[in-house]
Amino acid sequence: MNARTLSPLDRLLAGIERALETVSGAPEAARPSPADAFEEADMDDAERRHAAGLMRINHTGEVCAQALYDGQAALARNEETREHLLHAAAEETDHLAWCSERLKELDSRPSLFNPLWYAGSYAIGALAALAGDPVSLGFVVETERQVEAHLEEHLDRLPPQDERSRAVLSQMQADEIRHAHNARERGGIDLPFPIPGVMHVTSMVMKAVAYRV
């Protein structure tokens, strides 16, 4: 059965399955991890904890992105928009898997609050979809713009020798830029004040919590 013939119940069950996979910390990537091209670096305990904290933030960010896309896709009014969102979500699953793998390599774990972040982001995605596809795609544009900015910050803050984490974040950043461009091309609008600011503040809270817990 393809995406065009799924019933509302089928979509609900598929959404629940994706949610469980996302918050379980065991997603499967369709693409090899960019980290595979680099050897593990020598880092002291403080550097490893710092790198793990940054990667935990990015893992949580990908949980939020997955939830946002799933919520938007579930209520998208246009089938082409829905398929576009699901395709982007599949690439976000790669990001989630890469970050999860990197956390294990750094002897760390995902944020304990990921189920909460997922639920909140899914609700935001669903509300955006109810507002119409231009607004929904505008959320993609703004979300990816803010994610791109914080990935740039993390690339600067990683321990200089941690090339494995840096390779993952660099590929994620390239994908996020493309997602934002594609959403804009499909009709995503600029979100009105104060929505971008609220999104930024919420992101700052998430990053502060996920770095530690």
Side-chain angles (χ1 to χ4, degrees):
M1 181 178 293
N2 61 39
R4 294 181 182 277
T5 60
L6 288 177
S7 69
L9 178 59
D10 291 326
R11 292 183 181 181
L12 174 62
L13 294 176
I16 292 173
E17 181 180 4
R18 286 194 299 273
L20 292 174
E21 290 174 350
T22 298
V23 300
S24 72
E28 294 186 6
R31 294 176 289 172
S33 173
D36 293 346
F38 298 90
E39 296 294 330
E40 186 64 70
D42 290 329
M43 292 185 283
D44 60 32
D45 288 345
E47 288 172 328
R48 291 182 71 83
R49 285 195 301 271
H50 178 58
L54 295 180
M55 293 308 293
R56 184 161 45 250
I57 289 172
N58 290 298
H59 182 275
T60 296
E62 295 305 322
V63 168
C64 294
Q66 189 76 52
L68 185 70
Y69 279 129
D70 285 347
Q72 290 173 294
L75 297 178
R77 300 180 184 182
N78 180 279
E79 186 62 28
E80 289 185 0
T81 297
R82 195 177 79 85
E83 291 180 359
H84 164 73
L85 292 166
L86 291 176
H87 177 74
E91 290 195 343
E92 300 291 349
T93 300
D94 287 350
H95 300 173
L96 192 66
W98 298 341
C99 288
S100 178
E101 179 182 1
R102 189 67 189 126
L103 281 171
K104 291 177 182 177
E105 293 172 352
L106 293 166
D107 300 320
S108 193
R109 51 154 181 77
S111 171
L112 299 177
F113 290 97
N114 278 348
L116 176 63
W117 299 124
Y118 186 96
S121 297
Y122 188 97
I124 291 171
L127 288 172
L130 288 174
D133 287 354
V135 173
S136 184
L137 291 168
F139 263 92
V140 173
V141 174
E142 182 61 29
T143 298
E144 301 294 26
R145 186 190 68 78
Q146 294 192 19
V147 170
E148 177 196 348
H150 99 242
L151 286 172
E152 186 66 31
E153 175 193 349
H154 285 191
L155 285 167
D156 290 337
R157 293 178 60 194
L158 279 171
Q161 68 272 41
D162 188 4
E163 294 294 341
R164 288 180 67 83
S165 295
R166 184 166 283 102
V168 168
L169 298 191
S170 293
Q171 183 59 57
M172 287 169 55
Q173 187 181 46
D175 289 344
E176 309 299 9
I177 291 171
R178 179 163 42 81
H179 293 167
H181 174 76
N182 290 344
R184 177 73 74 185
E185 289 292 305
R186 288 179 173 272
I189 63 172
D190 291 329
L191 299 181
F193 175 85
I195 294 176
V198 171
M199 293 171 66
H200 177 70
V201 171
T202 302
S203 174
M204 295 297 290
V205 172
M206 179 274 287
K207 289 190 285 186
V209 173
Y211 183 83
R212 295 173 175 81
V213 186

